[in-house]
């Protein structure tokens, strides 16, 4: 991968950093479009495998961005993607927190907080849809996805129950 491609990777992830309301996973549909569809640097399966691996590994959720960069361009890609996704939002959070602290009781602060919540939920649902489409290759997996969604929607139980149920279903050859 050329230096120009690495710069493009950095700039794309830097722009996504400012849209990552609720976490970087919410921007994964755009990452998928860019890395898989537009650039062809990886397949859908490689993309979703990187997310799954990073989510299963201990540590911060953001690790999936590093794996995507690694998959696209090795160590230089991992660095470009990680710095790209972290730097702009970190700077914005630093200055935004200073402003929020100074204006904590202001109406604008409350309005921004209320307005960003539905955006974060929508971005998270879009990310889930992209991952489900790439992985659900037969009806059993779609049923498992729908059951998991219903579990989260109507239950207050720990999500580890779903991980255990998925492991059991996979171990028994049901999915």
């Amino acid at each position: 991968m050329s230096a120009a491609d690495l710069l493009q990777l950095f700039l794309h992830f830097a722009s996504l950093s400012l849209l990552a309301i609720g976490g970087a996973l919410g921007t994964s549909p755009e990452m998928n479009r860019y890395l898989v569809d537009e650039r062809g640097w990886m397949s859908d399966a490689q993309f979703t495998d990187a997310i799954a691996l990073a989510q299963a590994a201990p540590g911060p959720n953001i690790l999936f961005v590093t794996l995507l960069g690694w998959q696209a361009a090795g160590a230089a890609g991992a660095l470009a993607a990680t710095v790209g996704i972290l730097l702009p939002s970190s700077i914005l959070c630093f200055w935004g927190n200073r402003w929020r602290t100074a204006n904590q009781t202001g109406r604008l602060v409350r309005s921004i907080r209320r307005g960003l919540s539905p955006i974060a939920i929508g971005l998270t649902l879009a990310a889930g849809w992209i991952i489900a489409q790439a992985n659900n290759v037969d009806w059993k997996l779609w049923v498992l996805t729908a059951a998991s969604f219903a579990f989260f929607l109507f239950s207050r139980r720990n999500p580890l129950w779903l991980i255990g149920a998925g492991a059991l279903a996979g171990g028994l050859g049901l999915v």
Side-chain angles (χ1 to χ4, degrees):
M1 178 176 286
S2 71
D5 286 335
L6 285 172
L7 179 62
Q8 286 296 318
L9 180 68
F10 169 79
L11 291 174
H12 191 79
F13 277 77
S15 68
L16 291 178
S17 174
L18 298 173
L19 300 174
I21 300 164
L25 195 58
T27 60
S28 63
E30 173 55 23
M31 291 176 194
N32 180 279
R33 186 201 65 75
Y34 181 73
L35 296 170
V36 175
D37 299 334
E38 185 178 317
R39 293 297 190 152
W41 287 336
M42 65 186 67
S43 67
D44 265 328
Q46 290 171 313
F47 183 87
T48 55
D49 286 349
I51 291 176
L53 179 62
Q55 297 302 305
N61 182 334
I62 198 79
L63 286 176
F64 84 94
V65 172
T66 304
L67 286 175
L68 292 175
W70 182 273
Q71 189 74 10
L79 183 64
T82 304
V83 172
I85 202 75
L86 291 175
L87 187 63
S89 58
S90 295
I91 292 169
L92 181 65
C93 284
F94 174 76
W95 291 108
N97 191 47
R98 289 177 60 126
W99 174 79
R100 183 193 59 84
T101 302
N103 300 292
Q104 204 162 9
T105 59
R107 186 175 190 185
L108 183 59
V109 171
R110 288 192 316 265
S111 297
I112 289 171
R113 190 175 296 156
R114 286 187 188 131
L116 291 179
S117 294
I119 293 171
I121 291 168
L123 288 171
T124 303
L125 287 173
W129 180 252
I130 292 292
I131 293 168
Q133 282 185 309
N135 285 318
N136 293 348
V137 293
D138 69 9
W139 68 272
K140 292 183 272 186
L141 294 173
W142 279 108
V143 169
L144 185 61
T145 299
S148 297
F149 182 73
F151 180 88
F152 276 115
L153 197 58
F154 300 113
S155 172
R156 297 257 184 232
R157 292 199 178 270
N158 191 316
L160 289 175
W161 285 102
L162 283 177
I163 294 170
L168 182 63
L172 295 174
L174 299 175
V175 290

